[in-house]
Amino acid sequence: MSISPLQSERYRYEPKVPEALAESIEKLGAVESDEPLETELSDEIKRMFPHTVGRPILRFRAGEGRAAEQRPFRVAVILSGGQAPGGHNVIAGLFDGLKKVHPDSQLFGFQNGPGGILDDDCVELTAEVIDPYRNTGGFDIIGSGRTKLESEDQFKRTAEVFRKRNLDALVIIGGDDSNTNAAVLAEYMEREQTGVQVIGVPKTIDGDLKSRYVEASFGFDTASKTYAELIGNIARDANSARKYWHFIKLMGRSASHIALECALQTQPNVCIISEEVSEKGQTLDEIVDQIVTTIVRRAKRGDNFGVVLVPEGLIEAIPEMNALISAINELLGENERYFATLKTFEDQAEWINKKLDRDRSYLFSTLPTEIQRQLLMDRDPHGNVQVSRIDTERLLVDMVDTRLNEMKTGGSFHGRFSHQDHFFGYEGRCAFPSNFDADYCRTLGMTAGLLIACGANGYISAVGGLARPSSEWKPGGVPIVGMMTMEKRKGKPTPVIEKALVDTSDKPFRSFEQQRETWAVETSYRYPGAIQYFGPPEIADQPTLTLQLEHS
Ligand code: FBP
């Protein structure tokens, strides 16, 4: 098989590990930290997790705390949900961590996500299997999937498979929902006295699985740097050709962390932040106004070009659209069978229009047909609309175009508006992990292995001090239950890890807010360029601006 020169160089890359993990296994210990937990737990959560609640945060240190049990462990791992750069290094780190605990330890991978456990579809991950995946992007070593492990039957089946295969522990590499499910499974395993431990690892490019102790989810660094490179290139093209407005939608679901990080990196003319839109209760018209105002101001300077960043989840953040989407979700959920009998889009749209109340039906009918069609497409496993499949950037382009044409006719706009639209998402999810993600992921994996050897159950692998050099990082584990709150899901109060949305009072947003007025009118583009894998640390090892600002 032919491999690229970069791929062969990346095989030689040795991820940096924190000093704490460089210690020999005899010296390493898990110290119970007295740091307070994330949230004040409700009585309901305490009742739901009687066996795993109340555990302390653990930190690995030399010569202190609970020592690792030095026996061969048999551990299984799954990848859950969307791809994120660095997943292969988590698996490699887990393998290395388990071998450090005992050279006869074995690692297994269930294929294609949680569904692989239920199908008992498992392979052993030996050094020969793992080595060609070190420091590479993708999840192809064992594949991923979006099946949810959440019902009692599924837990029972998981316990059976683990007993049959004589496995000690499961590591779930996933986002907020998968880690929530990891906590519920950990509680089940303890209640049923199966002896199986469950450990989570924080993954998602969206950056919305973070908190005081889980400082970042892996993959966010590489994905946002990949998009920022592309946006910088487009900005330079826009400034060279001086004829297009580029509307760029960015992945991230309901959180705008990716859009915000890319804005800080590239200084576009406009960047919409969903969290601000929903906080201020902005309407679609107001957002269009904001973009139109910028276009008109720039046109007056003779600058008929620009860059607009649009977060993927914007459509759901606009209160009127959110109400419409929720009403459609409810109707589709309640009438699933009947809706499936409606074969043409026209029939579906007519039925929905009849069922919606007057205001929502009016809003639905004013949307372009393509957007209406997208709003009626299949839901994800949680019954939510798949925001990556809604062309919000095109909706904005259409509305801006219409408004500018009206203004032109009325004599209040004398510029030109030609546009291009883009969607960046899949381009960044499987990139070669940046040095940050390569190092972070190997550390997360090793830490997960050590947590298992120290007897932890229901913990998420967590590394503190990420804005500092990797040698100073603080590996450890946070009890997942300590990160939970109660939320209504499908009409039922459910324990969940709260999604970390952009905090408009925190430094990353405030820094953006202070500068955006200048960026809107002047051409202030910043060009981050491609991710650098080699070279001075200030170029090759820098974490995201979001992380630097949050911890400055
Ligand atoms: P996770 O939440 O599973 O990490 O996935 C993130 C994501 O990339 C979102 O940004 C995007 O909306 C979604 O996955 C796309 O899903 P799919 O891969 O199923 O098209």
Side-chain angles (χ1 to χ4, degrees):
M1 191 177 68
S2 149
I3 61 169
S4 72
L6 180 68
Q7 190 168 346
S8 93
E9 259 324 301
R10 285 314 268 173
Y11 286 152
R12 281 194 263 276
Y13 179 72
E14 180 61 33
K16 300 179 273 304
V17 290
E19 269 159 21
L21 293 191
E23 281 296 342
S24 69
I25 191 68
E26 289 75 22
K27 287 207 188 127
L28 256 180
V31 177
E32 293 191 2
S33 158
D34 51 14
E35 295 159 271
L37 280 171
E38 312 278 343
T39 47
E40 188 61 44
L41 292 184
S42 69
D43 290 343
E44 231 163 336
I45 292 183
K46 288 183 190 155
R47 252 197 317 275
M48 287 169 116
F49 295 91
H51 300 90
T52 49
V53 78
R55 298 198 166 155
I57 289 174
L58 297 174
R59 296 270 177 222
F60 288 107
R61 288 204 205 117
E64 288 179 67
R66 197 187 316 166
E69 195 187 342
Q70 288 170 56
R71 63 160 173 97
F73 279 85
R74 288 170 59 84
V75 173
V77 62
I78 53 166
L79 291 158
S80 181
Q83 282 68 249
H88 288 155
N89 270 25
V90 177
I91 293 178
L94 176 59
F95 179 81
D96 298 341
L98 292 171
K99 290 288 180 189
K100 185 177 171 112
V101 169
H102 195 285
D104 294 336
S105 289
Q106 285 172 286
L107 180 63
F108 301 84
F110 284 102
Q111 313 246 30
N112 305 318
I117 302 181
L118 307 177
D119 299 339
D120 192 9
D121 185 1
C122 188
V123 284
E124 183 170 357
L125 299 172
T126 59
E128 292 67 42
V129 176
I130 290 173
D131 287 348
Y133 289 95
R134 287 182 188 264
N135 306 311
T136 60
F139 276 7
D140 37 323
I141 186 169
I142 44 173
S144 184
R146 289 199 184 276
T147 308
K148 303 276 154 225
L149 272 191
E150 54 190 354
S151 71
E152 189 85 2
D153 281 352
Q154 290 173 324
F155 293 163
K156 204 167 155 211
R157 169 75 181 143
T158 304
E160 266 167 32
V161 170
F162 271 61
R163 194 177 318 117
K164 183 187 122 194
R165 291 191 171 270
N166 194 22
L167 292 166
D168 297 298
L170 168 65
V171 174
I172 297 180
I173 304 175
D176 52 335
D177 283 328
S178 306
N179 276 286
T180 295
N181 295 342
V184 184
L185 181 61
E187 176 69 25
Y188 174 91
M189 292 297 187
E190 208 146 317
R191 187 188 82 203
E192 298 300 313
Q193 300 181 352
T194 60
V196 175
Q197 296 160 250
V198 184
I199 300 292
V201 176
K203 169 236 74 164
T204 177
I205 61 159
D206 299 350
D208 58 3
L209 172 49
K210 65 174 166 185
S211 63
R212 181 136 133 232
Y213 301 116
V214 177
E215 294 181 8
S217 57
F218 79 77
F220 174 69
D221 186 275
T222 312
S224 52
K225 284 175 179 161
T226 305
Y227 308 139
E229 181 212 345
L230 300 176
I231 295 163
N233 296 350
I234 284 179
R236 196 137 224 175
D237 193 290
N239 197 13
S240 309
R242 306 178 73 82
K243 62 176 181 180
Y244 290 128
W245 273 88
H246 292 269
F247 282 61
I248 305 169
K249 182 173 83 168
L250 292 160
M251 258 190 185
R253 289 189 203 274
S254 35
S256 307
H257 296 292
I258 290 180
L260 180 56
E261 170 66 19
C262 289
L264 293 167
Q265 290 284 358
T266 62
Q267 306 185 174
N269 304 100
V270 179
C271 174
I272 316 280
I273 300 294
S274 301
E275 290 79 347
E276 185 183 23
V277 168
S278 77
E279 264 170 44
K280 293 187 172 164
Q282 286 177 314
T283 63
L284 196 48
D285 271 342
E286 284 166 353
I287 295 165
V288 171
D289 269 351
Q290 182 193 338
I291 301 172
V292 165
T293 307
T294 304
I295 294 174
V296 173
R297 287 170 77 191
R298 281 179 64 76
K300 283 188 184 143
R301 297 161 50 108
D303 294 337
N304 290 298
F305 64 91
V307 174
V308 178
L309 303 186
V310 180
E312 180 181 67
L314 174 65
I315 196 91
E316 284 188 311
I318 302 168
E320 54 186 345
M321 289 300 298
N322 186 290
L324 171 64
I325 291 171
S326 304
I328 296 178
N329 285 351
E330 218 160 278
L331 283 171
L332 295 188
E334 283 164 8
N335 301 280
E336 206 175 339
R337 286 229 186 104
Y338 177 73
F339 191 74
T341 64
L342 301 171
K343 292 293 173 231
T344 67
F345 162 70
E346 288 70 25
D347 288 347
Q348 294 173 347
E350 192 189 327
W351 180 79
I352 280 282
N353 252 323
K354 267 198 230 137
K355 289 277 179 185
L356 289 169
D357 67 23
R358 216 185 52 177
D359 290 352
R360 286 178 198 142
S361 164
Y362 173 74
L363 177 60
F364 186 74
S365 62
T366 59
L367 296 171
T369 314
E370 207 35 51
I371 300 288
Q372 292 181 348
R373 198 187 294 275
Q374 290 162 1
L375 287 178
L376 298 185
M377 274 183 322
D378 295 343
R379 270 33 194 171
D380 73 6
H382 299 282
N384 296 323
V385 71
Q386 299 186 52
V387 280
S388 64
R389 299 174 70 186
I390 298 187
D391 298 330
T392 321
E393 72 287 16
R394 292 208 186 130
L395 173 66
L396 290 177
V397 164
D398 280 356
M399 293 181 74
V400 166
D401 200 20
T402 309
R403 185 80 60 84
L404 287 170
N405 279 330
E406 285 164 9
M407 289 172 71
K408 204 161 218 170
T409 314
S412 53
F413 177 56
H414 307 286
R416 277 176 285 111
F417 179 63
S418 296
H419 51 84
Q420 298 285 350
D421 50 60
H422 316 261
F423 170 34
F424 296 152
Y426 300 98
E427 293 80 350
R429 299 201 311 181
C430 286
F432 278 103
S434 60
N435 287 353
F436 175 89
D437 269 330
D439 300 349
Y440 179 38
C441 288
R442 176 133 182 278
T443 298
L444 281 172
M446 286 183 83
T447 305
L450 293 170
L451 283 168
I452 292 166
C454 289
N457 181 32
Y459 277 70
I460 188 166
S461 176
V463 181
L466 290 179
R468 304 192 57 75
S470 48
S471 57
E472 296 171 32
W473 289 352
K474 293 184 168 48
V478 175
I480 304 176
V481 175
M483 297 167 63
M484 285 182 158
T485 54
M486 294 302 286
E487 245 179 56
K488 244 194 184 161
R489 293 272 171 99
K490 293 183 190 160
K492 251 180 56 192
T494 314
V496 294
I497 300 176
E498 200 179 355
K499 257 193 202 313
L501 300 177
V502 167
D503 180 348
T504 54
S505 65
D506 206 356
K507 286 182 192 153
F509 181 84
R510 283 189 1 235
S511 164
F512 160 72
E513 195 179 29
Q514 278 158 16
Q515 304 175 78
R516 66 176 160 189
E517 183 57 26
T518 314
W519 302 347
V521 187
E522 289 166 24
T523 300
S524 332
Y525 306 138
R526 184 174 181 267
Y527 309 108
I531 294 175
Q532 301 296 306
Y533 297 95
F534 310 98
E538 50 294 0
I539 296 178
D541 295 345
Q542 281 303 306
T544 56
L545 290 173
T546 304
L547 198 64
Q548 292 182 47
L549 285 164
E550 279 171 347
H551 296 274
S552 64

